[in-house]
Amino acid sequence: MKGQVLADFIAEFSPRSTDITCRVEVKPWKVFVDGASNVARIVVITPEDLKLQHSFRLSFRASNNEAEYEALLAGLRVVTDLGVKEVEVYSDSLLVVSQVQGNFEAKDPQMIEYLRLVKQMMSNFMTVKIERIARGQNRHADSLVTLASSIADEVPRLIRVELVPEPSITGH
């Protein structure tokens, strides 16, 4: 149902082309993710520059790194549910991005399991890129800390706040 709400929103606000024969360049969707000890935030930007914002309150104890992984997984789930095949993910977490890119080895059992789940989800896409950005560049996701502060833009948007009752991985 969550994915359907986002899909309906996108369908309503996406520009329509009347010329079926025109060739459309496929642009990747952008997903900005951010996590902290009890919250995970994502901002999805469609190729048409629509912003879909989602905040998750974690109702379980999570380290900052676990919350970062939860945010990454939430972002991948949302775009998977929407049928997206090309995605760019941006995070300010050095650890998570470096583990996903293979530059850092995951040693902690929790991080190993989170990494395994992320890699599994990434296989759903034709192309997926994950990049580390400076914390200041991740203001899309940071702005969800205070939902009211993000209403100023004139871009159509959907903001959801959701409770995550348990971790995405087992054995936590």
Side-chain angles (χ1 to χ4, degrees):
M1 181 161 163
K2 293 179 266 184
Q4 187 60 48
V5 170
L6 292 172
D8 291 346
F9 178 81
I10 290 168
E12 183 173 335
F13 289 103
S14 292
R16 306 215 188 312
S17 173
T18 55
D19 182 7
I20 299 173
T21 62
C22 75
R23 193 168 171 182
V24 178
E25 177 186 344
V26 177
K27 292 182 182 178
W29 290 49
K30 295 179 181 180
V31 180
F32 292 82
V33 301
D34 189 33
S37 61
N38 67 342
V39 69
R41 300 168 292 271
I42 66 169
V43 176
V44 177
I45 302 177
T46 71
E48 297 82 19
D49 289 328
L50 297 176
K51 290 180 186 175
L52 310 173
Q53 302 181 8
H54 205 132
S55 184
F56 302 86
R57 197 177 95 236
L58 306 178
S59 64
F60 54 91
R61 292 184 60 96
S63 69
N64 285 343
N65 290 328
E66 291 168 335
E68 292 281 358
Y69 265 115
E70 289 289 344
L72 174 56
L73 288 165
L76 292 174
R77 281 187 200 106
V78 166
V79 291
T80 297
D81 289 347
L82 293 170
V84 172
K85 292 298 179 192
E86 297 190 22
V87 65
E88 295 174 355
V89 180
Y90 300 93
S91 171
D92 57 21
S93 171
L94 175 63
L95 179 84
V96 170
V97 172
S98 296
Q99 286 179 347
V100 172
Q101 290 176 339
N103 299 326
F104 288 3
E105 181 182 349
K107 295 180 181 177
D108 178 79
Q110 252 62 8
M111 296 298 104
I112 291 169
E113 185 60 18
Y114 272 117
L115 180 58
R116 184 198 63 75
L117 189 53
V118 165
K119 293 283 190 176
Q120 178 185 343
M121 291 196 70
M122 288 173 65
S123 69
N124 295 328
F125 301 96
M126 287 175 36
T127 59
V128 60
K129 179 172 80 170
I130 183 165
E131 283 189 33
R132 181 169 181 264
I133 57 175
R135 189 168 305 272
Q137 290 179 292
N138 204 14
R139 67 182 181 279
H140 289 294
D142 287 339
S143 70
L144 290 178
V145 174
T146 308
L147 291 174
S149 70
S150 63
I151 297 177
D153 289 354
E154 295 177 12
V155 177
R157 67 180 73 232
L158 173 67
I159 301 173
R160 290 183 48 102
V161 178
E162 185 176 333
L163 177 66
V164 178
E166 55 192 39
S168 295
I169 61 170
T170 58
H172 187 45

mmCIF file of all heavy atoms in Angstrom, residues 120-143:
data_model
loop_
_atom_site.group_PDB
_atom_site.id
_atom_site.type_symbol
_atom_site.label_atom_id
_atom_site.label_comp_id
_atom_site.label_asym_id
_atom_site.label_seq_id
_atom_site.Cartn_x
_atom_site.Cartn_y
_atom_site.Cartn_z
ATOM 1 N N GLN A 120 21.662 -7.542 -1.990
ATOM 2 C CA GLN A 120 20.543 -8.303 -2.552
ATOM 3 C C GLN A 120 19.524 -7.359 -3.190
ATOM 4 O O GLN A 120 19.065 -7.596 -4.304
ATOM 5 C CB GLN A 120 19.884 -9.128 -1.439
ATOM 6 C CG GLN A 120 18.685 -9.922 -1.893
ATOM 7 C CD GLN A 120 18.013 -10.627 -0.717
ATOM 8 O OE1 GLN A 120 18.587 -10.787 0.360
ATOM 9 N NE2 GLN A 120 16.791 -11.053 -0.924
ATOM 10 N N MET A 121 19.191 -6.272 -2.509
ATOM 11 C CA MET A 121 18.219 -5.317 -3.049
ATOM 12 C C MET A 121 18.770 -4.589 -4.269
ATOM 13 O O MET A 121 18.032 -4.279 -5.201
ATOM 14 C CB MET A 121 17.792 -4.326 -1.978
ATOM 15 C CG MET A 121 16.953 -4.976 -0.901
ATOM 16 S SD MET A 121 16.092 -3.774 0.091
ATOM 17 C CE MET A 121 14.907 -3.192 -1.101
ATOM 18 N N MET A 122 20.069 -4.312 -4.281
ATOM 19 C CA MET A 122 20.675 -3.612 -5.412
ATOM 20 C C MET A 122 20.600 -4.440 -6.694
ATOM 21 O O MET A 122 20.585 -3.884 -7.783
ATOM 22 C CB MET A 122 22.128 -3.246 -5.093
ATOM 23 C CG MET A 122 22.237 -2.123 -4.074
ATOM 24 S SD MET A 122 23.934 -1.803 -3.515
ATOM 25 C CE MET A 122 24.705 -1.244 -5.025
ATOM 26 N N SER A 123 20.499 -5.754 -6.547
ATOM 27 C CA SER A 123 20.427 -6.615 -7.732
ATOM 28 C C SER A 123 19.101 -6.453 -8.478
ATOM 29 O O SER A 123 18.969 -6.942 -9.601
ATOM 30 C CB SER A 123 20.648 -8.077 -7.330
ATOM 31 O OG SER A 123 19.547 -8.561 -6.580
ATOM 32 N N ASN A 124 18.132 -5.761 -7.892
ATOM 33 C CA ASN A 124 16.846 -5.520 -8.551
ATOM 34 C C ASN A 124 16.918 -4.440 -9.626
ATOM 35 O O ASN A 124 15.961 -4.256 -10.367
ATOM 36 C CB ASN A 124 15.784 -5.091 -7.525
ATOM 37 C CG ASN A 124 15.454 -6.172 -6.539
ATOM 38 O OD1 ASN A 124 15.498 -7.356 -6.851
ATOM 39 N ND2 ASN A 124 15.151 -5.780 -5.318
ATOM 40 N N PHE A 125 18.021 -3.711 -9.700
ATOM 41 C CA PHE A 125 18.117 -2.574 -10.607
ATOM 42 C C PHE A 125 19.006 -2.881 -11.796
ATOM 43 O O PHE A 125 19.945 -3.660 -11.686
ATOM 44 C CB PHE A 125 18.679 -1.352 -9.861
ATOM 45 C CG PHE A 125 17.836 -0.943 -8.687
ATOM 46 C CD1 PHE A 125 18.139 -1.382 -7.405
ATOM 47 C CD2 PHE A 125 16.734 -0.124 -8.857
ATOM 48 C CE1 PHE A 125 17.365 -1.017 -6.323
ATOM 49 C CE2 PHE A 125 15.951 0.245 -7.788
ATOM 50 C CZ PHE A 125 16.261 -0.206 -6.522
ATOM 51 N N MET A 126 18.715 -2.219 -12.935
ATOM 52 C CA MET A 126 19.603 -2.329 -14.096
ATOM 53 C C MET A 126 20.907 -1.602 -13.797
ATOM 54 O O MET A 126 21.986 -2.100 -14.089
ATOM 55 C CB MET A 126 18.930 -1.738 -15.339
ATOM 56 C CG MET A 126 17.824 -2.614 -15.885
ATOM 57 S SD MET A 126 16.890 -1.912 -17.271
ATOM 58 C CE MET A 126 18.087 -1.011 -18.200
ATOM 59 N N THR A 127 20.793 -0.390 -13.247
ATOM 60 C CA THR A 127 21.969 0.343 -12.808
ATOM 61 C C THR A 127 21.662 0.958 -11.442
ATOM 62 O O THR A 127 20.566 1.463 -11.204
ATOM 63 C CB THR A 127 22.374 1.480 -13.783
ATOM 64 O OG1 THR A 127 21.308 2.404 -13.911
ATOM 65 C CG2 THR A 127 22.755 0.925 -15.132
ATOM 66 N N VAL A 128 22.632 0.879 -10.577
ATOM 67 C CA VAL A 128 22.520 1.498 -9.263
ATOM 68 C C VAL A 128 23.903 2.020 -8.889
ATOM 69 O O VAL A 128 24.909 1.346 -9.079
ATOM 70 C CB VAL A 128 21.967 0.528 -8.192
ATOM 71 C CG1 VAL A 128 22.863 -0.677 -8.032
ATOM 72 C CG2 VAL A 128 21.750 1.220 -6.867
ATOM 73 N N LYS A 129 23.916 3.249 -8.429
ATOM 74 C CA LYS A 129 25.174 3.882 -8.044
ATOM 75 C C LYS A 129 24.970 4.434 -6.643
ATOM 76 O O LYS A 129 23.926 4.999 -6.339
ATOM 77 C CB LYS A 129 25.494 5.006 -9.031
ATOM 78 C CG LYS A 129 26.763 5.759 -8.738
ATOM 79 C CD LYS A 129 27.125 6.714 -9.859
ATOM 80 C CE LYS A 129 26.318 7.981 -9.764
ATOM 81 N NZ LYS A 129 26.773 9.047 -10.670
ATOM 82 N N ILE A 130 25.956 4.257 -5.794
ATOM 83 C CA ILE A 130 25.898 4.841 -4.454
ATOM 84 C C ILE A 130 27.119 5.720 -4.287
ATOM 85 O O ILE A 130 28.227 5.319 -4.621
ATOM 86 C CB ILE A 130 25.798 3.773 -3.340
ATOM 87 C CG1 ILE A 130 25.657 4.453 -1.977
ATOM 88 C CG2 ILE A 130 26.947 2.808 -3.386
ATOM 89 C CD1 ILE A 130 25.204 3.539 -0.863
ATOM 90 N N GLU A 131 26.877 6.937 -3.810
ATOM 91 C CA GLU A 131 27.954 7.902 -3.631
ATOM 92 C C GLU A 131 27.882 8.526 -2.259
ATOM 93 O O GLU A 131 26.789 8.757 -1.734
ATOM 94 C CB GLU A 131 27.842 9.027 -4.666
ATOM 95 C CG GLU A 131 28.310 8.665 -6.032
ATOM 96 C CD GLU A 131 28.368 9.880 -6.947
ATOM 97 O OE1 GLU A 131 28.655 11.000 -6.468
ATOM 98 O OE2 GLU A 131 28.116 9.700 -8.135
ATOM 99 N N ARG A 132 29.044 8.819 -1.726
ATOM 100 C CA ARG A 132 29.103 9.554 -0.466
ATOM 101 C C ARG A 132 29.120 11.033 -0.786
ATOM 102 O O ARG A 132 29.832 11.474 -1.689
ATOM 103 C CB ARG A 132 30.352 9.189 0.321
ATOM 104 C CG ARG A 132 30.385 9.954 1.639
ATOM 105 C CD ARG A 132 31.456 9.442 2.569
ATOM 106 N NE ARG A 132 31.408 10.195 3.805
ATOM 107 C CZ ARG A 132 32.183 11.250 4.057
ATOM 108 N NH1 ARG A 132 33.067 11.661 3.161
ATOM 109 N NH2 ARG A 132 32.079 11.893 5.204
ATOM 110 N N ILE A 133 28.311 11.777 -0.047
ATOM 111 C CA ILE A 133 28.296 13.222 -0.189
ATOM 112 C C ILE A 133 28.559 13.841 1.178
ATOM 113 O O ILE A 133 28.358 13.195 2.208
ATOM 114 C CB ILE A 133 26.958 13.739 -0.772
ATOM 115 C CG1 ILE A 133 25.781 13.302 0.089
ATOM 116 C CG2 ILE A 133 26.789 13.285 -2.206
ATOM 117 C CD1 ILE A 133 24.451 13.880 -0.347
ATOM 118 N N ALA A 134 29.015 15.066 1.169
ATOM 119 C CA ALA A 134 29.255 15.772 2.425
ATOM 120 C C ALA A 134 27.934 15.984 3.150
ATOM 121 O O ALA A 134 26.877 16.114 2.519
ATOM 122 C CB ALA A 134 29.926 17.114 2.146
ATOM 123 N N ARG A 135 27.977 16.007 4.450
ATOM 124 C CA ARG A 135 26.764 16.193 5.264
ATOM 125 C C ARG A 135 25.990 17.427 4.814
ATOM 126 O O ARG A 135 24.778 17.419 4.730
ATOM 127 C CB ARG A 135 27.132 16.289 6.739
ATOM 128 C CG ARG A 135 25.936 16.261 7.651
ATOM 129 C CD ARG A 135 26.345 16.075 9.098
ATOM 130 N NE ARG A 135 27.167 14.892 9.316
ATOM 131 C CZ ARG A 135 26.697 13.675 9.563
ATOM 132 N NH1 ARG A 135 25.421 13.477 9.622
ATOM 133 N NH2 ARG A 135 27.514 12.672 9.764
ATOM 134 N N GLY A 136 26.693 18.493 4.476
ATOM 135 C CA GLY A 136 26.034 19.722 4.020
ATOM 136 C C GLY A 136 25.295 19.550 2.710
ATOM 137 O O GLY A 136 24.329 20.257 2.433
ATOM 138 N N GLN A 137 25.731 18.601 1.873
ATOM 139 C CA GLN A 137 25.060 18.341 0.599
ATOM 140 C C GLN A 137 23.844 17.438 0.776
ATOM 141 O O GLN A 137 23.066 17.274 -0.144
ATOM 142 C CB GLN A 137 26.025 17.675 -0.385
ATOM 143 C CG GLN A 137 27.109 18.584 -0.882
ATOM 144 C CD GLN A 137 28.013 17.827 -1.828
ATOM 145 O OE1 GLN A 137 28.742 16.931 -1.428
ATOM 146 N NE2 GLN A 137 27.947 18.189 -3.088
ATOM 147 N N ASN A 138 23.670 16.855 1.955
ATOM 148 C CA ASN A 138 22.564 15.932 2.200
ATOM 149 C C ASN A 138 21.421 16.646 2.920
ATOM 150 O O ASN A 138 20.688 16.050 3.673
ATOM 151 C CB ASN A 138 23.040 14.723 3.021
ATOM 152 C CG ASN A 138 22.152 13.520 2.819
ATOM 153 O OD1 ASN A 138 21.337 13.478 1.895
ATOM 154 N ND2 ASN A 138 22.279 12.542 3.681
ATOM 155 N N ARG A 139 21.274 17.919 2.639
ATOM 156 C CA ARG A 139 20.240 18.683 3.331
ATOM 157 C C ARG A 139 18.843 18.238 2.944
ATOM 158 O O ARG A 139 17.900 18.487 3.667
ATOM 159 C CB ARG A 139 20.437 20.176 3.115
ATOM 160 C CG ARG A 139 20.227 20.654 1.706
ATOM 161 C CD ARG A 139 20.514 22.154 1.621
ATOM 162 N NE ARG A 139 20.301 22.634 0.281
ATOM 163 C CZ ARG A 139 21.158 22.528 -0.713
ATOM 164 N NH1 ARG A 139 22.323 21.970 -0.509
ATOM 165 N NH2 ARG A 139 20.874 22.983 -1.911
ATOM 166 N N HIS A 140 18.694 17.574 1.782
ATOM 167 C CA HIS A 140 17.376 17.026 1.423
ATOM 168 C C HIS A 140 16.868 16.137 2.556
ATOM 169 O O HIS A 140 15.780 16.321 3.073
ATOM 170 C CB HIS A 140 17.447 16.179 0.143
ATOM 171 C CG HIS A 140 17.657 16.974 -1.088
ATOM 172 N ND1 HIS A 140 16.730 17.861 -1.575
ATOM 173 C CD2 HIS A 140 18.687 17.008 -1.950
ATOM 174 C CE1 HIS A 140 17.190 18.399 -2.689
ATOM 175 N NE2 HIS A 140 18.368 17.897 -2.929
ATOM 176 N N ALA A 141 17.677 15.151 2.919
ATOM 177 C CA ALA A 141 17.260 14.213 3.962
ATOM 178 C C ALA A 141 17.307 14.862 5.342
ATOM 179 O O ALA A 141 16.437 14.618 6.175
ATOM 180 C CB ALA A 141 18.137 12.964 3.923
ATOM 181 N N ASP A 142 18.304 15.706 5.579
ATOM 182 C CA ASP A 142 18.404 16.372 6.878
ATOM 183 C C ASP A 142 17.186 17.237 7.167
ATOM 184 O O ASP A 142 16.770 17.382 8.305
ATOM 185 C CB ASP A 142 19.663 17.240 6.951
ATOM 186 C CG ASP A 142 20.932 16.422 7.081
ATOM 187 O OD1 ASP A 142 20.835 15.255 7.502
ATOM 188 O OD2 ASP A 142 22.008 16.940 6.753
ATOM 189 N N SER A 143 16.593 17.799 6.133
ATOM 190 C CA SER A 143 15.451 18.698 6.341
ATOM 191 C C SER A 143 14.232 17.973 6.887
ATOM 192 O O SER A 143 13.332 18.602 7.441
ATOM 193 C CB SER A 143 15.080 19.409 5.037
ATOM 194 O OG SER A 143 14.517 18.492 4.116
#
